[in-house]
Amino acid sequence: MIRTTRKAALAGLAIVGSAILLAGCGAAPEDDAPGGSAAPEPADDFLACAVSDEGSWNDKSFNEAAFAGLQQAESELGVQIDDAESASAEDFVPNLTAMVDNGCDITFAIGFNFSLGGTNGVIFDIADENPDAKFAWLDGWPGGSEDNVKPIMYATEQSSYLAGYLSAAYSTSKVVGTYGGLQIDSVTSFMDGFYQGAKKYEEESGTPVKVVGWDPATATGDFVGDFANTEEAKSISNGQLAAGADVIFPVAGGLFTATAEAIREGSDPNAVLLGVDKDIAVTQPQLADITLTSVEKRMTQAVFDIISETKDDSFTAEPYFGTLENDGTGLSDFGAFADKVPADVVTKLDELSQQITDGEIEITLTKNQG
């Protein structure tokens, strides 16, 4: 677990009457200004916290994007932050409990996996046991009677639809691929949109497009089994490249690095990948030359906004829902491929985005078992 600060420590400083918030174990700096000067104001005692999904805050993907919202709130709102990294799902309960015990004003649970374990799922069990605590759950959904858990949801099928159309238009082989970490709704929503967007291009252009790695009709496809097995992710990527795919969309957290390795070692110099969650051409600049675009969940802004609302006593359990319309999800800039995507395709993507927003295009989502 990583601790950034503690609300209890702030209370202790207030009792002592210190005018300066001490950092670590260092002594307070002396006031050397002639005639003295006013001591800095203590930081706000609002404590915003987060517990990661499996992996670190530096995963260049889902966890990191969420944690950046916490850091933004610390910088811009003056709040205190605390956090705990989860090496595995077994850490979820103790980490959430530690945040509650630490007096967090709001705690973010990062990822779908907080639905697993316990009686009703880890997040709801902890929320039920601590009705005065407030939680926000990334990739979550509304609970039954819980009024202290705010789900953060994304219509990633919308932006992935655009990514599928773009991929099919860009592809030379007209074979595009996708694979997931786990076969769960928050993963297959990306894959559903990608598939249907690619087929939209097929319909409009009259050019057949093959999608490997996912078949919504049978709910079968390529899945790693977790978000950590780089060897399996690379094997899947190699298989899709061998099947002719020259665009691959990994929906598997940081496992896009394994796909990048497969592309680098492959025989097709034109093969590219799509990023997920964050703009990986920015977070991983060494991959910019093979990253066509990324399908972003703009989690940083969502975390920041919810902290701001909670700090202003405006917290509700009403879901936050990121869409194309409110810019909660979308495609990254094309970066190194800006001059390789035809202007008519860019225009078409804008048209499709508006049609999705207006409800003229409906994207069907697969219902997974279990």
Side-chain angles (χ1 to χ4, degrees):
M1 263 182 223
I2 297 174
R3 287 282 188 271
T4 308
T5 186
R6 294 184 184 277
K7 196 171 188 179
L10 289 172
L13 286 175
I15 292 171
V16 173
S18 172
I20 301 174
L21 181 63
L22 302 182
C25 296
E30 295 181 2
D31 181 6
D32 295 327
S37 61
E41 288 294 322
D44 195 304
D45 68 351
F46 184 96
L47 183 56
C49 306
V51 176
S52 80
D53 200 348
E54 297 179 58
S56 76
W57 294 123
N58 299 314
D59 64 356
K60 304 300 182 185
S61 186
F62 193 79
N63 284 318
E64 186 174 293
F67 190 66
L70 216 65
Q71 294 174 309
Q72 182 183 351
E74 180 185 37
S75 173
E76 297 183 18
L77 301 178
V79 305
Q80 302 299 300
I81 66 173
D82 197 0
D83 67 273
E85 291 181 318
S86 305
S88 70
E90 284 71 30
D91 292 333
F92 292 166
V93 169
N95 282 348
L96 283 174
T97 301
M99 297 296 98
V100 171
D101 292 345
N102 199 40
C104 297
D105 291 286
I106 186 165
T107 298
F108 290 83
I110 312 302
F112 173 95
N113 285 331
F114 282 83
S115 65
L116 306 177
T119 303
N120 300 307
V122 168
I123 183 63
F124 293 128
D125 285 354
I126 296 292
D128 286 342
E129 293 165 7
N130 300 277
D132 293 331
K134 296 181 178 68
F135 301 89
W137 180 22
L138 263 163
D139 265 358
W141 54 83
S145 60
E146 288 84 358
D147 59 2
N148 60 339
V149 179
K150 186 179 188 70
I152 304 173
M153 308 165 72
Y154 291 90
T156 51
E157 69 277 4
Q158 295 182 348
S159 42
S160 295
Y161 187 100
L162 303 180
Y165 188 97
L166 169 66
S167 297
Y170 179 84
S171 173
T172 299
S173 66
K174 299 309 175 192
V175 180
V176 298
T178 183
Y179 69 88
L182 290 170
Q183 189 166 350
I184 54 179
D185 293 346
S186 58
V187 168
T188 58
S189 63
F190 285 93
M191 300 166 78
D192 286 334
F194 181 80
Y195 181 97
Q196 291 168 56
K199 289 300 181 179
K200 179 67 172 179
Y201 174 84
E202 176 181 86
E203 173 192 326
E204 293 201 336
S205 68
T207 303
V209 176
K210 183 177 181 181
V211 180
V212 297
W214 182 236
D215 181 358
T218 60
T220 57
D222 293 339
F223 295 91
V224 176
D226 57 37
F227 295 91
N229 191 334
T230 54
E231 184 176 345
E232 180 64 18
K234 185 175 180 181
S235 176
I236 290 172
S237 301
N238 280 328
Q240 294 190 355
L241 290 168
D246 56 1
V247 183
I248 299 180
F249 182 31
V251 188
L255 292 179
F256 59 81
T257 56
T259 300
E261 190 173 316
I263 289 174
R264 297 283 196 211
E265 296 173 359
S267 59
D268 187 348
N270 298 313
V272 297
L273 59 83
L274 304 182
V276 69
D277 294 338
K278 298 185 69 175
D279 183 352
I280 66 170
V282 173
T283 63
Q284 301 272 288
Q286 72 275 19
L287 302 183
D289 64 316
I290 58 171
T291 302
L292 178 58
T293 189
S294 295
V295 177
E296 294 186 37
K297 282 182 178 176
R298 290 168 181 156
M299 295 173 283
T300 300
Q301 191 62 44
V303 170
F304 177 86
D305 288 346
I306 292 169
I307 291 172
S308 180
E309 291 171 3
T310 307
K311 184 174 179 292
D312 292 340
D313 294 324
S314 299
F315 176 90
T316 72
E318 188 73 21
Y320 169 92
F321 201 65
T323 65
L324 287 176
E325 184 174 16
N326 66 15
D327 203 33
T329 185
L331 298 185
S332 303
D333 292 338
F334 300 144
F337 293 86
D339 61 351
K340 299 177 183 178
V341 178
D344 63 326
V345 173
V346 175
T347 299
K348 184 62 182 181
L349 293 175
D350 289 339
E351 292 175 359
L352 292 172
S353 180
Q354 190 60 53
Q355 289 171 356
I356 291 169
T357 296
D358 292 342
E360 296 174 20
I361 292 176
E362 295 185 4
I363 304 167
T364 304
L365 296 179
T366 301
K367 296 300 181 183
N368 296 293
Q369 297 294 323

